[in-house]
Every structure is written in structure tokens, then in C-alpha cells.
Amino acid sequence: MRALALAAVALVLAPQLAARGDPRAETVTRGLAALSDPELARGDYVEHCAGCHGVQGISAPAKLPELRGRVGYMMCTADTRAYLLRLPNIAKSRISDNQQLADMLNFMVFGLGGDSVIPGTQPFTAQEVEYERRFALTSASLVAERKRHVETAIRKCGAPEAFRDFYKPR
């Protein structure tokens, strides 16, 4: 059933992007195709992330970053990518298998954040996850780190000014 839900995301989001002539369609399709077990990736997201970020990636009105249509902007530089992997709940996740964690993150980025993915964005790999999670942001101010990387995404990657907000005003 979960695999069907992920397939629905790919079948709905990618064609919508393609119908608009949006070059992100191919990137989103390729990112979701990289998941070794789509059902497990979505299930891991629901179990480990959805309690705070929402099943659909919408956390509002909670003061937590909204993922839907936004998290893909954080994939645009090596530093912003590393930031996602170094977040304590990711780096210190109970998911010890690096490929499984990469799949969950790729589900988040390409499945939930699809509209915000920069064309050509490469999926996370197990090797990248293994390397970056050694540098967990356990002593840094997460708010300050997020602000710094959001500013980079706005300045260098075309993220909208509203990306500074934790969630989209409704």
C-alpha cells in the first residue's frame, strides 16, 4: 500500500511538473527511482519524521520547518546538503543502515519537496550519509544553522524569500 502511495507521488508530481515544461520533472523522477525500497523509505519517514513535520510534510502551525515544496532547496550546495545530514535527528537516527537513511531522505527531498528540487539534483548516497553523520550538529544552535543555510539557498539557489519562514503562511 505504501509503495502505491509513493508511486502516486511520482505519477502525480512528475507529470504536473512535466506538463508545465518544468525541468524538475526528470530530476524528481530520477530521485524517486533511486529509492531501493520505496515502501520502507516512506514508512521510515512516517515513523521517524512525520510526528513533527507532518505526514504530508506540512508542519504548520508548529514552529518546525515545513518540508513540502521547500526541502529541495537545501540540496543546492554541498554545505546545505551536509546540513540536512548533520541534523541531530538524522545523524543520530536509530536507522543505522546508511542506504536506508539515504532512501528516507530522498523520499523527503524528491517526494515531499519535489517542487523545490533544483534540476540536476543528485540523490543522497549511503556513502554521503555515512560520512556526514559523523559531524552531527549536537553543539550548534540549530536555529542559527538553519538561518545560515536558508540564506545560502535564497542567495545562491533561487529559494523564495518566504523560505525564511518556518512554514508557508496560509
Side-chain angles (χ1 to χ4, degrees), residues 58-128:
I58 300 171
S59 56
K63 281 298 241 179
L64 291 165
E66 188 166 297
L67 302 176
R68 174 149 314 274
R70 296 168 64 98
V71 70
Y73 292 121
M74 297 303 272
M75 298 289 283
C76 70
T77 71
D79 286 344
T80 56
R81 283 177 71 98
Y83 163 76
L84 290 179
L85 296 174
R86 293 175 179 183
L87 287 166
N89 288 349
I90 300 297
K92 301 292 185 182
S93 173
R94 290 182 303 182
I95 300 172
S96 60
D97 182 275
N98 292 317
Q99 184 59 58
Q100 185 178 344
L101 189 56
D103 283 349
M104 183 193 75
L105 290 160
N106 288 328
F107 167 78
M108 284 176 26
V109 168
F110 297 99
L112 298 176
D115 280 349
S116 61
V117 171
I118 308 296
T121 297
Q122 296 300 308
F124 285 117
T125 65
Q127 295 78 18
E128 185 178 15

Side-chain angles (χ1 to χ4, degrees), residues 125-152:
T125 65
Q127 295 78 18
E128 185 178 15
V129 169
E130 178 181 23
Y131 177 79
E132 294 296 345
R133 71 191 307 188
R134 295 183 298 166
F135 306 103
L137 296 170
T138 54
S139 61
S141 163
L142 295 181
V143 172
E145 283 293 304
R146 179 186 182 280
K147 182 178 180 177
R148 184 167 68 87
H149 292 297
V150 163
E151 291 304 317
T152 296

Side-chain angles (χ1 to χ4, degrees), residues 17-67:
L17 293 171
R20 297 190 312 237
D22 195 315
R24 294 174 293 188
E26 182 181 330
T27 300
V28 167
T29 300
R30 192 176 58 250
L32 291 172
L35 302 178
S36 39
D37 186 339
E39 183 175 334
L40 181 60
R42 184 177 189 284
D44 284 341
Y45 171 78
V46 169
E47 181 179 345
H48 298 281
C49 307
C52 295
H53 291 285
V55 173
Q56 307 263 331
I58 300 171
S59 56
K63 281 298 241 179
L64 291 165
E66 188 166 297
L67 302 176

